[in-house]
Amino acid sequence: MIQIMKIAASRAVLSGSIRVPGSKSHTIRAVILASLAEGVSHISNPLASADCLSAGRAVPLIGSRLDFGDSGSADSVWTVTGAGSGAHLPSDVIDVGNSGSLLYFLSPIVATFPGWSIFTGDESIRKRPVSHVVAALNQLGAQAFIARPGTDAPPLLIRGPIDAGHTVITDGRLSQYVSGMMMAALRMNGTLRIELTDPKEVPYLKMTRQWLEFLGTEVFVSDDFRHIRVSGPVFFKGFDRIIPSDWEAVAFPLIAALITDSELVIENIDDSGSQGDAALLEVLLSVGADVEWNHEMKTLTVRGGSRARSFAGRGSGAAASDILKACSVPGRLSTKGLPGGELHANLAGFPDAVCALAAVACFIDGKTVIEDIGVCRRKETDRIVVLKGELSKLGAEVEEGEDFLVINGHSPLLPDGNPNPAFRMHGGSVESFGDHRVAMAEACLGLGLPDPVVVNDAECCSVSFPHFFEAMNRIGAEFTKT
């Protein structure tokens, strides 16, 4: 049983270096695909988070074996003996825990087997929408049902097999079930055709395509991601892969350093282009963040507050000049150098960054508009509602729309370097609602405020960043259990 935890976050200065865990998105894909391979696969630098461990416990139900090795070590390797041609209908109900990725990835794959499969999960998963999965699988010839009448959430019942002879037409606003169907095509005879009417989160579809191509699969994805073709069946052998660091996890020490008087090095940065959340860096640079990306060393050096350098010398050209005028005080973040004096960040391709960006936006002088994030209403929580409510408790000025958030932020410093009386953020008690990214964003905010922030149900951080608070405390964070 997970112990309910309250964390108090107090003002701090960060220094030294931190290495964030491996990518959750890559780890779960690696585990599932290795379970379908013929032979042994070795997965290095896996993320040993709750979601990934749930994936490791689920895949043996279709015939594979997984040895977690020493998951607590920095050089851990997971060994998967794939089921290959012996893969079979799940031998028990699949409990995905808190992992929406596992639910949406694995449900189309098990639908390739004749017979019934059942999916359930924890309290949060039993509130996650699955009608889009049901509709897509039924188009492929499955019999898929939601077990509880009047709800749109697991338990989910699926009777296969599905047939590649059909074309799936679906909106694709959530990418995970589309990736699940693409992976399911490995076990199907013929070419699976997927037509997306409103594709979002497309970097994750790109990641799935790269994995399938690595395994020798014939994949076509149109430039606008509306037309996808995957040809099967594909028989592939076990593989060895190193999981890159998780940009979704990088976001939290990154914003924590920017809102504090800190100088921090974040190590093992993935520059492969396979993770959409890397785009958050460009967003932050546009408002004057002092961040250096050393591609050779694979590091980010982040300087915030009084440790930040003047923007002079960090760029050139008209855009740099505009930022220099707005952010002349080192460490001061501002939208004033942007067109219209506002930051408009479209996060359709990397919506998991919304929590981190919303938190740091409270410290950015000017209006930040986080756009095209309707999918965030269908995550672990309705993140649009939750962020508006919880950030407002701490003094933030937040507006909510159907698919956007507006944060009217204030830098703690005026352009002349004096304290800004408009900055009224303060401490308080906030709820995570069991959402790991909400909890980490709230905790990081507390590191930059004059009074502590108490985050309730903070243990949920283990879903994507095991030992988050311990790792952050080693670089100077002031996180304490209460």
Side-chain angles (χ1 to χ4, degrees):
M1 179 179 295
I2 296 177
Q3 182 180 3
I4 302 301
M5 181 195 304
K6 290 186 178 182
I7 286 288
S10 302
R11 174 169 277 177
V13 173
L14 308 181
S15 62
S17 62
I18 184 172
R19 175 172 291 203
V20 303
S23 162
K24 182 179 78 164
S25 298
H26 276 292
T27 299
I28 295 180
R29 283 170 174 81
V31 167
I32 290 174
L33 293 171
S35 74
L36 298 175
E38 201 76 56
V40 177
S41 298
H42 300 97
I43 303 170
S44 302
N45 193 42
L47 173 62
S49 71
D51 279 10
C52 298
L53 294 174
S54 291
R57 289 188 290 266
V59 293
L61 298 178
I62 64 171
S64 67
R65 297 196 308 274
L66 192 150
D67 180 356
F68 290 110
D70 183 6
S71 287
S73 70
D75 55 355
S76 64
V77 177
W78 290 359
T79 302
V80 183
T81 303
S85 59
H88 54 69
L89 190 73
S91 57
D92 200 349
V93 173
I94 295 180
D95 185 339
V96 301
N98 186 250
S99 179
S101 296
L102 180 59
L103 170 67
Y104 298 139
F105 287 167
L106 202 52
S107 50
I109 292 171
V110 302
T112 63
F113 300 112
W116 287 97
S117 302
I118 303 173
F119 285 81
T120 189
D122 67 5
E123 182 180 2
S124 173
I125 282 293
R126 296 194 305 275
K127 297 176 183 176
R128 297 285 289 270
V130 290
S131 58
H132 55 298
V133 180
V134 167
L137 293 180
N138 285 341
Q139 288 183 56
L140 289 173
Q143 293 176 273
F145 302 95
I146 296 170
R148 295 174 291 161
T151 67
D152 180 16
L156 172 64
L157 285 70
I158 304 167
R159 184 179 183 180
I162 53 179
D163 180 5
H166 303 280
T167 296
V168 179
I169 302 174
T170 185
D171 60 48
R173 284 177 288 178
L174 280 172
S175 68
Q176 292 158 320
Y177 74 108
V178 180
S179 287
M181 290 188 290
M182 292 171 70
M183 289 187 278
L186 296 172
R187 291 188 35 82
M188 300 169 71
N189 291 312
T191 298
L192 175 63
R193 293 171 170 80
I194 305 172
E195 303 293 320
L196 304 182
T197 60
D198 188 20
K200 306 291 185 184
E201 304 182 321
V202 294
Y204 297 106
L205 298 179
K206 179 181 177 182
M207 182 187 295
T208 302
R209 180 183 66 188
Q210 290 174 343
W211 269 100
L212 296 182
E213 289 174 341
F214 165 72
L215 297 174
T217 309
E218 183 181 334
V219 184
F220 167 79
V221 180
S222 63
D223 291 342
D224 60 6
F225 286 85
R226 290 179 177 270
H227 312 286
I228 299 173
R229 309 282 185 270
V230 185
S231 298
V234 179
F235 304 97
F236 56 97
K237 295 184 180 298
F239 51 84
D240 294 348
R241 284 290 292 264
I242 300 173
I243 301 300
S245 59
D246 193 347
W247 265 99
E248 294 169 2
V250 167
F252 296 103
L254 172 58
I255 66 163
L258 289 176
I259 65 173
T260 57
D261 295 327
S262 300
E263 183 168 353
L264 180 65
V265 177
I266 307 175
E267 300 177 335
N268 194 34
I269 296 297
D270 176 23
D271 62 358
S272 68
S274 65
Q275 298 186 62
D277 289 71
L280 175 63
L281 180 56
E282 289 300 319
V283 174
L284 296 174
L285 291 174
S286 76
V287 294
D290 183 0
V291 185
E292 288 183 274
W293 187 347
N294 186 319
H295 290 271
E296 182 179 353
M297 299 296 293
K298 296 188 181 299
T299 60
L300 291 180
T301 300
V302 190
R303 302 177 183 91
S306 63
R307 302 299 297 274
R309 301 168 300 170
S310 167
F311 196 84
R314 289 201 277 136
S316 60
S321 177
D322 290 340
I323 298 175
L324 174 60
K325 293 174 184 177
C327 310
S328 54
V329 175
R332 185 175 189 271
L333 307 176
S334 174
T335 68
K336 300 304 187 289
L338 297 173
E342 298 179 354
L343 170 61
H344 287 257
N346 188 308
L347 265 60
F350 53 112
D352 282 337
V354 67
C355 298
L357 181 55
V360 73
C362 298
F363 288 73
I364 299 173
D365 206 64
K367 178 182 286 188
T368 296
V369 184
I370 307 176
E371 302 171 324
D372 208 355
I373 56 170
V375 69
C376 290
R377 296 192 181 277
R378 303 164 73 180
K379 295 289 186 177
E380 284 83 343
T381 56
D382 183 333
R383 287 177 177 164
I384 294 176
V385 168
V386 167
L387 288 168
K388 179 180 185 299
E390 300 310 299
L391 294 179
S392 297
K393 289 181 183 179
L394 303 178
E397 301 173 25
V398 187
E399 303 170 35
E400 170 195 348
E402 181 179 353
D403 66 347
F404 65 86
L405 278 170
V406 177
I407 295 95
N408 294 292
H410 303 280
S411 169
L413 298 177
L414 292 169
D416 61 7
N418 288 315
N420 185 358
F423 182 80
R424 299 190 180 95
M425 295 289 293
H426 54 75
S429 178
V430 289
E431 303 297 328
S432 72
F433 296 94
D435 189 322
H436 52 123
R437 302 199 198 284
V438 170
M440 287 187 282
E442 293 168 339
C444 288
L445 263 180
L447 301 179
L449 296 178
D451 306 305
V453 171
V454 176
V455 182
N456 295 303
D457 295 335
E459 71 285 344
C460 60
C461 294
S462 65
V463 166
S464 60
F465 199 144
H467 312 297
F468 171 72
F469 299 109
E470 294 87 344
M472 292 292 289
N473 280 348
R474 285 195 290 271
I475 56 171
E478 294 287 343
F479 293 137
T480 57
K481 294 182 181 181
T482 64

